[in-house]
Amino acid sequence: IIPMASNFGELVLLLGDHHLPSRATSIPEQFQRMLVPHKMQHVICTGNIESPQEYERLRELVGGGSNVHCVSGDYDFVQQQHNQQQLDDKKVVQLGKFRIGIIGGHQVVPLGDLSALAMMRRKMNVDVLICGWRRKEGVVEHDGGYYIFPGSITGAYSSHSTTSINPSFILLAVQGSNMVCYVYELKDGEVDVSKIEFAK
């Protein structure tokens, strides 16, 4: 189910809202089997990890810390650990020909509002904005840019939603000016995968 990097360019794991251990006990086994070290070149995390051990596990997936691009969520404690780096609330990385912005999402009011996110994307001067929280669509094209919502890798409940949340993450395959988004969602114990492609 995970594409090989040599055929797809750089592989980038997008995830967030672990909320371990406050709202969830673990990443679902179906996802853990897929997230093996050295398959992906980068990890982008939208925050709310809450656990230093989970942050270390993200580092192990890509063989070190320089390719883990993590921002602070509104419930994070990682930055409070004296032996961990301070996490910014937003970050910009270059992957292929795309400038990619990363935010936890709590900076945007109303939460998940596309007009407010478009203002944030323009302010950060990025092609793609990756945002914590989960929209049903996963990937949205709006106002000349792309918005990606990986959701919660654990399916942790959200105080902003009255419905249950399916665990989800996204894998990006970036090759030059082309990007393919594989959206993985756990539904009734089965992994559902959808694919969206776009180019700059």
Side-chain angles (χ1 to χ4, degrees):
I1 299 178
I2 298 283
M4 295 304 294
S6 57
N7 301 331
F8 289 84
E10 290 188 286
L11 292 183
V12 185
L13 173 65
L14 310 184
L15 75 175
D17 289 329
H18 297 63
H19 288 291
L20 290 170
S22 68
R23 300 184 187 180
T25 55
S26 66
I27 293 172
E29 180 62 34
Q30 296 92 325
F31 286 173
Q32 289 192 43
R33 288 195 298 264
M34 300 165 69
L35 303 179
V36 295
H38 311 297
K39 293 281 187 188
M40 285 78 66
Q41 286 71 54
H42 297 270
V43 173
I44 290 177
C45 179
T46 59
N48 288 330
I49 300 173
E50 294 190 20
S51 159
Q53 292 79 18
E54 283 301 312
Y55 182 77
E56 282 305 310
R57 188 152 78 161
L58 297 183
R59 287 168 49 90
E60 289 167 9
L61 284 175
V62 292
S66 62
N67 287 344
V68 175
H69 314 286
C70 192
V71 295
S72 176
D74 48 346
Y75 289 95
D76 264 316
F77 303 117
V78 171
Q79 66 271 30
Q80 295 177 9
Q81 305 298 319
H82 67 277
N83 61 342
Q84 295 285 355
Q85 67 183 44
Q86 289 284 329
L87 297 177
D88 296 323
D89 68 343
K90 56 183 177 286
K91 191 170 188 177
V92 176
V93 296
Q94 183 81 34
L95 294 172
K97 295 190 176 177
F98 294 92
R99 272 179 61 86
I100 297 176
I102 312 158
I103 61 171
H106 55 282
Q107 310 93 322
V108 176
V109 180
L111 186 67
D113 180 76
L114 286 175
S115 296
L117 285 166
M119 287 175 57
M120 177 68 77
R121 184 186 63 79
R122 287 191 295 271
K123 185 176 178 182
M124 294 176 72
N125 189 28
V126 293
D127 306 303
V128 178
L129 185 63
I130 297 170
C131 180
W133 193 59
R134 177 77 164 113
R135 288 181 67 91
K136 189 175 82 169
E137 302 91 344
V139 181
V140 178
E141 183 179 4
H142 175 75
D143 195 26
Y146 294 93
Y147 304 83
I148 302 178
F149 306 89
S152 170
I153 184 85
T154 60
Y157 77 86
S158 169
S159 56
H160 305 288
S161 175
T162 56
T163 60
S164 62
I165 295 172
N166 290 329
S168 62
F169 71 90
I170 292 177
L171 192 68
L172 296 184
V174 182
Q175 199 161 40
S177 59
N178 296 299
M179 184 178 288
V180 183
C181 302
Y182 298 89
V183 181
Y184 295 82
E185 188 172 0
L186 192 61
K187 296 180 178 177
D188 301 319
E190 298 292 326
V191 178
D192 180 73
V193 186
S194 58
K195 184 173 87 166
I196 299 142
E197 301 182 46
F198 53 87
K200 184 173 176 182

